[in-house]
Amino acid sequence: MSSLLADKKAVVPTHVAIIMDGNGRWASERGLPRLAGHRAGADAVARCIKAAIQRGVSYLTLYAFSSENWSRGPKEVSDLTGLLRYYLRHKVKELHAEGVQLRFIGDLGRFDTSLREELERAEALTRNNKRLVLLLALSYGGRGDIMQAVRRVAQEVRDGWLTPDQISEELFTNHLWTAGVPDPDVVVRTSGEYRLSNFLLWQSAYAELVFLDTFWPDFNEGHFATVLELYARRERRFGARPTATV
Ligand code: IPE
Ligand code: IPE
Ligand code: MG
């Protein structure tokens, strides 16, 4: 009995990462402005966090705003940053009470100072929480992440802290914005698109991929359960022989 429970626990992914896509199409199907889709998407975020906690996932990364999303124009960008600000002001206390540790990854320097301060406050408040580490990818791009890590490693070599042969995969991983976070076990994308759109490029090397047809605002606990079921049925090999033919 106890070993069965242990087996069941072993197939719960440690780190789930989600590309939350389809807010705009959800809204346009209803004749609503895109902002309504983003608002409904924020409610789906709350459902997703709750499901992750209930299911015992340790790390949840949500792709909320890509480095390329800055090209959407000032109105949509300000709608999205406004929503983020609202979410921080109204939800951080609740997340803190739930034991969620918040971490923001991305080129945060592109946001204005007051928003950056709010992000820092939320991180500081929740720093010691252990129940779920929630990473929000904001102004995030996988290539940008790799580039900033390359620059920092290069500076350390230039300053004599490192020699080039000391640059290992582990050292490089520790210079990414996700330093200290295990690689995602599963990367999910909603809305029926089959691409990564510059998300966690280095970190997803061996992630299982799950694509759902659902638009993000419709995402609920049932979809989260589906992701975990699909993940549990996958055989991860990491380049080794299939277990059945050993
Ligand atoms: C995802 O929904 C949210 C962000 C990228 C900020 P979209 O806004 O991309 O919605 P679609 O893909 O146009 O439907
Ligand atoms: C990816 O979605 C980024 C986020 C979900 C935040 P996009 O809607 O921006 O991606 P593309 O443009 O369809 O590839
Ligand atoms: Mg999209």
Side-chain angles (χ1 to χ4, degrees), residues 84 88 104 108 115-123 138:
L84 173 63
L88 288 167
F104 303 98
L108 306 178
L115 182 54
R116 271 191 345 250
E117 283 168 0
E118 291 202 39
L119 298 177
E120 278 164 23
R121 269 199 297 276
E123 280 189 340
L138 301 171

Side-chain angles (χ1 to χ4, degrees), residues 235 241-246:
E235 188 201 341
R241 275 192 300 238
T243 43
T245 64
V246 168

Side-chain angles (χ1 to χ4, degrees), residues 204-226:
S204 297
Y206 264 101
E208 295 296 325
L209 305 178
V210 170
F211 297 98
L212 301 174
D213 283 333
T214 317
F215 291 140
W216 176 252
D218 289 325
F219 188 91
N220 61 30
E221 291 79 358
H223 297 105
F224 200 91
T226 301

